[in-house]
Structure formats: structure tokens, C-alpha cells
């Protein structure tokens, strides 16, 4: 059975549209075409954003529990001011001396374990993962990349080819190998570490047997597109060791978990007590300004830097650095991670309570403010579960709350509010979810 | 003989540095590492920019004849205001309805021949070329990509692998083939078209013979990193035809020539009287905001959009679109291309005059405000020519004028001022160049 790879989207006929919306969608389809999918059965249109809220043309507010780019909240005035001020003064590239570029690079790397003391900037998470693969292949001499079953690492050719989440229509690289995660395979926490290590060792053996060699184990440290599988802490340590034994690099994709989303740690890999060789950054780094990066150990980074001529016109430019610098300042100064822990604890407790009172929730997993909530009744088929999750998401959208779905079967609610989420927002969210679950079950 | 792939850069010991600069460079090397090269023997440090000018910490002005990203001039107040205003209101992604996204896409595609009526946005020129290759490979069923001898198309793994300009340290793809340009091979204008077509046909035959198939002919339409080879107009038409005969796509990389730089045309390929299948955009599109795109014919764009699930978090977001929209408005409203033609005519005449009076200029080539000026005395070895070009660039830098080098031998001055360059700037530039040529010859 084939799963629609973006089930939560608008399809013609799905919803009653205003004439203005219908005309705009027709024009949109004509010029942007099929790559541009609209979220929700009935598309949303926003005209302004502020903090946790987005507003439609009728000034109706939508509570944003989905967007993980504006992690400090929509239209953060301090980030915007930093960006505007720098744009008015100078927007220059990294081939000129620029103290703030160096200072930000030092501040950023100081949030990592001391072994990870180098950074190269990029513009997007895809560019970060693409660059990390180039570095890993050069440094290791191998070509093989091991990823998880529903991993998504981005849009470039090299990265899409190691993103099984994109489905059968996007060919996997002949050098990609898949390691199954213990959680979705139903393996107990006690056996999780051994299971994942065995999966990775099998992939290594196959890559070695074919002379492909091992460039990297590449993983999102909260395995978000696999369905948010974060436990037990440390379950990836054996696999990491196995990859290192054969000279492969360990790449932690922190595009989603990074910059404090997990609350307990600045970087998702810290939950697992490992230190990667390369770490990739993106989404929330500039609160919406396109900036990303690869942070890494000196040896592979220098081997690449001394060999390949790498430059990226926009990456690390003065305006992007100003935005990212403001984001890091606010994240640290305002103790955002503490507030993430508080909000996520409240959200987790509220979800548990709903699950105990209302049918339709099968499991709740989270690290900080990234939640995966499996939807479905015991009597549901997988198809029904997917439909029910989609119903919940769209009922909530109609109720003015934004989330979406994830996981192999797309029956897991993907909940990842901006990190400035407060208790009042959590309560609003829980009320809406409870209502939607009841309605979806009726 | 190996050519340094970035000759115009700082090397320790090259220049006397202030203590402050030396300390900053040491810190920069420690955290950013070898990938980050500084331009010029004595690095430059700017603290503000305005129009054609950049200013160092002592408020010394530098005339910018090099940066082609801020094509409307540094820190354009109108572009910055559009960006700041949008950032304060809403920074949202393309999965929500957004009239301005659609309107800008329509305005942008309307500057192309009518066959090119679709666009997908990206964040960088590298992402644009990477996406274009994905589309071409999917649409053609072939894998082979034909590029010119010193082509540079960007930094992603797939694109770096078809960028011979990166040198031996970056492996070419086994599916890349090189077609020599007539100009650098010394072929006359009369024979240019036939020569290039024969080169491309040979590449096609080899790709077919090996079962690789032909995905695309990918070229920068002014062949800038090959040394700015733009004549005779139309010389690529036969090659384009040859690629189409075997089902390959024609990709014009307009990251550098696009958005009016050639003055006579909005897009560089128009000079050659051809209509590509895909066109890639980047650098000046947002005057410094990271935005790019692929514009293309409906058939390959839709085949890709309907097959692969493509999304790019930052690309086409409301802030990037606001910046790009302002750029296009100003470009059209202020008749920038007319001013490009006027300035480039004056610059060309001035260069001819210098060449007639001062030894050291071997050839002048340009399309609008992208000039390649070959440097060297008749008695020079290629090594001496390269050294002389580097001397000229650095003497001009010391004189407060910014340019750099290009071409296979890096003995071609690369001159590409912001498009708002006026006659007064041209005169200042010419004066500085004349002085540097004399000094470099003495």
C-alpha cells in the first residue's frame, strides 16, 4: 500500500473556497506548478504574525504549534531590528575581514563540546547536509551513507538520495543503506541499543563487501520524520562506535532538534551522550533568515578546507550573521531552554491526561517541544489511523490551531511550536486537540 | 603546471598587518579554518557600504567594481525597507496562500520568453543548479551533463561534480563531459559555432556509447569563469540543437549574467537567440538576500513536480519574495539596463584607449557590465601574465578599487560593478587601472 507522502494538503474539491482564493490558487498552479503544495484540506492564508500567532485576512488568529523556523516567535522585533540595522550598514561576503563573523562563529562553537570547534556557514539545512556529506566522503575515503528508514535530510541531489522519506519517486543512492530504528520496529528499550547497532553493522558489512566503504552515519538526533523516536537515551552509541571502527564519520542532523528545541540540551545529540564528527544546522538559526552551517571536528573540516575550494556567496554574509547572532543572544539571555522544559512538561502531562480520558491517542513521545503523538483506535486499520490523524489536524486547523502529521504511516501528530510557547498556549492547544479527537472519533 | 585556484588571496606574510587585523585573522583561522579565504594580498575590512562604495574602518572609500550580488548598489534603501517591512509583518513559507508569492512569480516569468512560464524558488545559485540537474535527469532519463572547460556552477555535491573550475581536488562526476569553448581554443568567430557544436556532439556520442545518456548541456551564458567568452552571438545554437536531438535539456546558468547585467538583455541566453529548457537564478535576485530559482518550460517542471516531493523551507518565503520583488521593480522602473549599456560602452571605450596607449592589455571582452580583460605583455610567459594580472588587481586594491581575476590561467581581470555604475565611477576606475598597469609593467 502506498502512503501519500504529503497527506495533509489541499486537493481541488477538498474545501469550499472563496472566489478570491480559488482564483489565487489557479494562478499559483499555473506559475508555480505541482512542486508547490498547500497545507491543510482548506488552505490557510496569513497576513501577519506575532509571537505564537498567525492572523488571516479577516484577522482571525491561528495558534502556531507547527512552525519550527521562527523558534523565537513570529516577527521577533529584536531579530528583525538586528537584521535591518545590519542591512542598512553593510551586506558583505566572507572574503572580507569581518569581526562579527568571527565572533559569532566563536560563540556558536562554544555551545558545542570542545572537540567541535570549527564551523562553515551555509544558507539552508539542505546545503548543510550536502556539505557534511562532501566532507565525510573526502575525509573517510568511503562513499556509503547509512540513514534511518524514513529519514529526510533535504532537497539537494546528494541529500535527497539519502532521504528515504521522499518515497519511491526519488531514487535512493546506490551508496545509501538503511538502518531500522528500534522503536518503530517494536523493539523494547532494553534491546534498543543492540538492535540499532546490529542494523548499522549489517549496513557497514554490506557497504564494505561491495567496496563502497563507509562515509557516514547520518541521523536526525530526534528522528523526527521517522516519528520522533528519542528513547532510550544513548541507544545510538553502539552504532556510532561501529561506524567509527571502519573510519566513517558520524553526522548529527540538528536542523530540527538543534538550538534548544529539546529543552534539556542545546543540541539533540547530547541526549545520547555522544559527540558527532559533524553537526548540521539550519531552520531556526536565523529565526527565518536563510542561514545554516556545519560544525565539526578540526581534522575532517581542515582536510576538506585545504583540499576543496569551497565558497558560498550568501552564506555567512553580514546580514545573516546579524540575524543568527541576535537569535543566539536571545536564546541564551532569555533562558528559552528553561521555558521549553516547563512548556513541554505541561504539554506532556496534558496529552497524557487526554489520552487517559479520550480514545484516539496510542502513544506520546517528545524531547522538549518536539512531540510525536500516535493517533488511532485499537480497532483502526493503519489506513484508518492515517485518516483519523489527518482529520484531527484539519479539525484543529478549522479551530485555529496549526499542527501536521509525520512518521512512516503519517498517523503521528507532529507538534513543534515556537520555543516561546507558554502555559496559556499549551492550554489552548490541549483544549483544541481534545475537541478534535472527540469529533474525529464520532 | 598547476594554477592556484584562488590566486587573489591573502597568504600569511603577504602584507604588513595591524595588530588588530593579525589577531582577528588568527581567530578567524582557528574557528572558520581553511575553507575561508580572504581576498587580496592585504585583506580588506569594510564597515559600511553605499551604492558603488565600500568604506573601511578609517572611512576610506573603496570603489566596488567586483560585487555582482548588490547589483542595485550596496545597502539599497528601498530593497532594505521592503525586506524590513515584510519581516515585521510576516515571514512565512510557501505552503500557505500568499498573493505576493504568486504575483512575483508571474512578474518574474513574464521577463522570459513565453515558453518559460514556470518557476520554483531556491535560496542560492548552487541550489538552483542542483535542482535544475535533478529536473533534467528526471525529465530526460539521462545522467550525463556537458559543461565547459572552466565552468563553475556552485557548491553542492552534484553541482561541484560538474564544475571543472574547482580543479583536480574536487572529483568530476563520471557523468560529466567537457566541451571546449571556441574562444580560448583560438578558433575564429567564423568557425566558432561549428567548433562548439562538434565538441558537444563528441561529448554526446561518448555519453551515449557508454549508456549514460544525456541529461543536459549546462552553461553560464556569458561563460564568466572560462574568462567571459560571449562572441560571436549565437555560437551555442548548434550545440543546443544537438543536445535536444538526443532528448537532453538545455540549462542556462544565469546566476551571474541574469537580471540585466548584460544590458542588452534581461537574460544572457537572449544574446544567443536560443530559448533554454531551464534557467537558473541566484546572486543579484534579492540584492543580497539569499534567494534563487529555476525558471523553466512546463513539461520538465511538471514532470518533476508531479513525481518528486520537493520543498525548500526558506525558499520563496515572504521576506525573500519582498526583497526580490523590490529588486525587479527598481530594475524595471529605473531603466537600469539602459544605464548598464551606457556605462559599459564608456568602460569599453576607455579600456580600448588604455590598451592603445599602455602595454599590458591583450584583449577586452564584455557583455554589458561583465568584463574580462586579458593581461600580459607579448613577451610574458603564462606564469608572468598571471602574476601581472594579480599585481594589477592588488595595486588597484591599494588604490581603493575592487576587482579580481578569472579564466583558466587566472590572467583575466574580472570586472563586474554593481549595475548602478555611472560615468563618474567608470572614469575613476579607468584612472586607477591605467596607473596599476604602468606600475605593474615597471
Amino acid at each position: 500500500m502506498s502512503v501519500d507522502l504529503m497527506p495533509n494538503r489541499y486537493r481541488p474539491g477538498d474545501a469550499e473556497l472563496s472566489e478570491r482564493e480559488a482564483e489565487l490558487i489557479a494562478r499559483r498552479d499555473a506559475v508555480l506548478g505541482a512542486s508547490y503544495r498547500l497545507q491543510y484540506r482548506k488552505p490557510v492564508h496569513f497576513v501577519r504574525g506575532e509571537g505564537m500567532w498567525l492572523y488571516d485576512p479577516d484577522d482571525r488568529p491561528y495558534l502556531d504549534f507547527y512552525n519550527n523556523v521562527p523558534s523565537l516567535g513570529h516577527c521577533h522585533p529584536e531579530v528583525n531590528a538586528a537584521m535591518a540595522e545590519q542591512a542598512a550598514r553593510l551586506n558583505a561576503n566572507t572574503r572580507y575581514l569581518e569581526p562579527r563573523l568571527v565572533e559569532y562563529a566563536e560563540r556558536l562553537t562554544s555551545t558545542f563540546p570542545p572537540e567541535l570547534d570549527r564551523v562553515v556557514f551555509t544558507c539552508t539545512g539542505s546545503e548543510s547536509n550536502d556539505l557534511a556529506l562532501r566532507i565525510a566522503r573526502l575525509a573517510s575515503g568511503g562513499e556509503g551513507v547509512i540513514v534511518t528508514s524514513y529519514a529526510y535530510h533535504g532537497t539537494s541531489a546528494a541529500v535527497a538520495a539519502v532521504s528515504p522519506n521522499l518515497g519511491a519517486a526519488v531514487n535512493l543512492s546506490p551508496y545509501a543503506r538503511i538502518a531500522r530504528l528500534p522503536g518503530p520496529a517494536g523493539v523494547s528499550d532494553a534491546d534498543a541499543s543492540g538492535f540499532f547497532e546490529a542494523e548499522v553493522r549489517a549496513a557497514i558489512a554490506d557497504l564494505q563487501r561491495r567496496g563502497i566503504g563507509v562515509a557516514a552515519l547520518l541521523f536526525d538526533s530526534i528522528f523526527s520524520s521517522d516519528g520522533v523516536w528519542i528513547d532510550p537515551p544513548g541507544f545510538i552509541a553502539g552504532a556510532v562506535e561501529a561506524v567509527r571502527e571502519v573510519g566513517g564519520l558520524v553526522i548529527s542532523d540538528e536542523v530540527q532538534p538543534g538550538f534548544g528545541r529539546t529543552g534539556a540540551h542545546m543540541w539533540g545529540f547530547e541526549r545520547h551522550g555522544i559527540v558527532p564528527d559533524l553537526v548540521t544546522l539550519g531552520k531556526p538559526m536565523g529565526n527565518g533568515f536563510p542561514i545554516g552551517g556545519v560544525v565539526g571536528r578540526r581534522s575532517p573540516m581542515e582536510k576538506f578546507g585545504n583540499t576543496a575550494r569551497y565558497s558560498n556567496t550568501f552564506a555567512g554574509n553580514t546580514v545573516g550573521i546579524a540575524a543568527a547572532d541576535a537569535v543566539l543572544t536571545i536564546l541564551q539571555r532569555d533562558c528559552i531552554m528553561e521555558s521549553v522544559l516547563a512548556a513541554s512538561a505541561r504539554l506532556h502531562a496534558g496529552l497524557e491526561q487526554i489520552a487517559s480520558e479520550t480514545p484516539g491517542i496510542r502513544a506520546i513521545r517528545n524531547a522538549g517541544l518536539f512531540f510525536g503523538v500516535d493517533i488511532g483506535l485499537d480497532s483502526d486499520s493503519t489506513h484508518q489511523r492515517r485518516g483519523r490523524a489527518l482529520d484531527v489536524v484539519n479539525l484543529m486547523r478549522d479551530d485555529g490551531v496549526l499542527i501536521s502529521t509525520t512518521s512512516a504511516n503519517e498517523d503521528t501528530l507532529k507538534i513543534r511550536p515556537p520555543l516561546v510557547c507558554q502555559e496559556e498556549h499549551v492550554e489552548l492547544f490541549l483544549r483544541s486537540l481534545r475537541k478534535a479527537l472527540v469529533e474525529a472519533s464520532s
Side-chain angles (χ1 to χ4, degrees), chain A residues 91-133:
Chain A
N91 188 352
N93 67 64
T94 59
R95 287 190 171 163
Y96 304 146
L97 272 177
E98 174 56 41
R100 200 177 189 180
L101 168 72
V102 176
E103 284 155 18
Y104 175 70
E106 290 172 343
R107 289 188 63 200
L108 177 66
T109 51
S110 76
T111 68
F112 284 86
E115 304 92 312
L116 300 171
D117 65 353
R118 296 277 167 131
V119 60
V120 171
F121 293 107
T122 67
C123 293
T124 69
S126 293
E127 284 195 343
S128 301
N129 282 321
D130 193 290
L131 175 60
L133 289 184

Side-chain angles (χ1 to χ4, degrees), chain A residues 49 63 82 191 240 259 286 300 319 336 340-341 343 363 376 422:
Chain A
L63 181 63
D191 296 332
V240 162
F259 288 102
V319 177
I336 301 286
V340 166
L341 284 180
Q422 301 298 308

Side-chain angles (χ1 to χ4, degrees), chain A residues 134-144 211-215 246-249 303:
Chain A
R134 288 186 67 191
I135 295 170
R137 284 175 166 148
L138 187 86
S140 68
E143 283 293 323
I212 295 167
V214 179
V246 295
L249 275 71
K303 186 159 180 189

Side-chain angles (χ1 to χ4, degrees), chain A residues 84 132 135 153 168 171 210 240 255 262 267 329 352 366 382 394 419:
Chain A
I135 295 170
H153 296 291
N171 290 337
R210 290 164 206 273
V240 162
V255 171
T262 67
W267 309 108
T329 294
E352 293 280 11
N366 82 296
T382 55
N394 280 279
L419 304 186

